[in-house]
């Protein structure tokens, strides 16, 4: 019983980190669409701004993965969907860590100009998965 509560707290923290990163990410990609690529990379997407995402991405990836593997209170589909979202965050950690090491966001320019149009719906889907996982934890605590 105690172990499940601990695992749920780990997952809860990971999910909230993911939710914050996804909302901020959608806002950032939206600004890329509105501002245009040159202005976005020149003035908006600075290394300091990118580094605001690093704690949320890192915690979301690590704690999300740990929590989904440890928690036995999820349906198989929700667990797999949550693991997919956590993997998305884990995969993106090196990209954002490179900003810290080089103090440049130029490496993100390899993504096509239409990337923001592609990733916003995916991030919205991931946010729906994260909120489903959070509701699941809430329902378990009430039971």
């Amino acid at each position: 019983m105690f172990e499940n509560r601990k695992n749920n707290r780990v997952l809860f923290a990971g999910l909230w980190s993911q939710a914050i990163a996804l909302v901020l990410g959608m806002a950032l990609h939206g600004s890329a669409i509105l501002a245009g690529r040159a202005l976005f990379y020149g003035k908006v997407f600075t290394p300091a701004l990118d580094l605001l995402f690093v704690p949320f991405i890192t915690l979301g990836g690590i704690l999300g993965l740990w929590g989904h593997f440890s928690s036995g209170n999820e349906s198989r589909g929700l667990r797999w969907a949550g693991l997919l979202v956590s993997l998305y965050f884990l995969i993106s950690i090196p990209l954002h860590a490179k900003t810290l090491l080089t103090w440049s966001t130029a490496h993100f320019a390899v993504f096509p100009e239409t990337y923001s149009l592609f990733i916003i719906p995916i991030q919205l889907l991931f946010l729906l998965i994260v909120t489903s996982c959070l509701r699941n934890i809430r329902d378990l605590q009430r039971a």
Side-chain angles (χ1 to χ4, degrees), residues 4-91:
N4 271 342
R5 281 187 178 164
K6 178 182 166 195
N7 293 337
N8 283 343
R9 282 196 301 261
V10 167
L11 182 56
F12 186 78
L15 291 169
W16 270 106
S17 293
Q18 290 175 359
I20 291 167
L22 287 166
V23 169
L24 291 174
M26 285 187 284
L28 188 66
H29 282 287
S31 72
I33 294 167
L34 294 174
R37 195 168 178 93
L39 180 61
F40 178 73
Y41 281 113
K43 299 287 184 187
V44 178
F45 192 52
T46 64
L49 180 62
D50 185 34
L51 291 183
L52 286 175
F53 286 81
V54 171
F56 300 113
I57 290 168
T58 304
L59 288 173
I62 294 169
L63 296 181
L65 197 66
W66 178 13
H68 285 296
F69 272 124
S70 301
S71 178
N73 300 325
E74 295 177 297
S75 69
R76 180 179 286 170
L78 190 57
R79 176 178 283 178
W80 280 106
L83 286 170
L84 175 69
V85 174
S86 297
L87 283 174
Y88 166 77
F89 282 100
L90 285 173
I91 290 167

Side-chain angles (χ1 to χ4, degrees), residues 67-136:
H68 285 296
F69 272 124
S70 301
S71 178
N73 300 325
E74 295 177 297
S75 69
R76 180 179 286 170
L78 190 57
R79 176 178 283 178
W80 280 106
L83 286 170
L84 175 69
V85 174
S86 297
L87 283 174
Y88 166 77
F89 282 100
L90 285 173
I91 290 167
S92 69
I93 290 172
L95 284 172
H96 295 277
K98 187 171 183 178
T99 300
L100 179 62
L101 298 173
T102 63
W103 202 249
S104 169
T105 57
H107 54 279
F108 286 100
V110 300
F111 290 99
E113 194 164 343
T114 56
Y115 180 72
S116 291
L117 293 171
F118 167 77
I119 200 64
I120 289 173
I122 292 172
Q123 288 178 324
L124 184 58
L125 174 65
F126 284 174
L127 186 59
L128 292 172
I129 292 168
V130 168
T131 56
S132 294
C133 292
L134 284 167
R135 273 196 307 271
N136 184 54

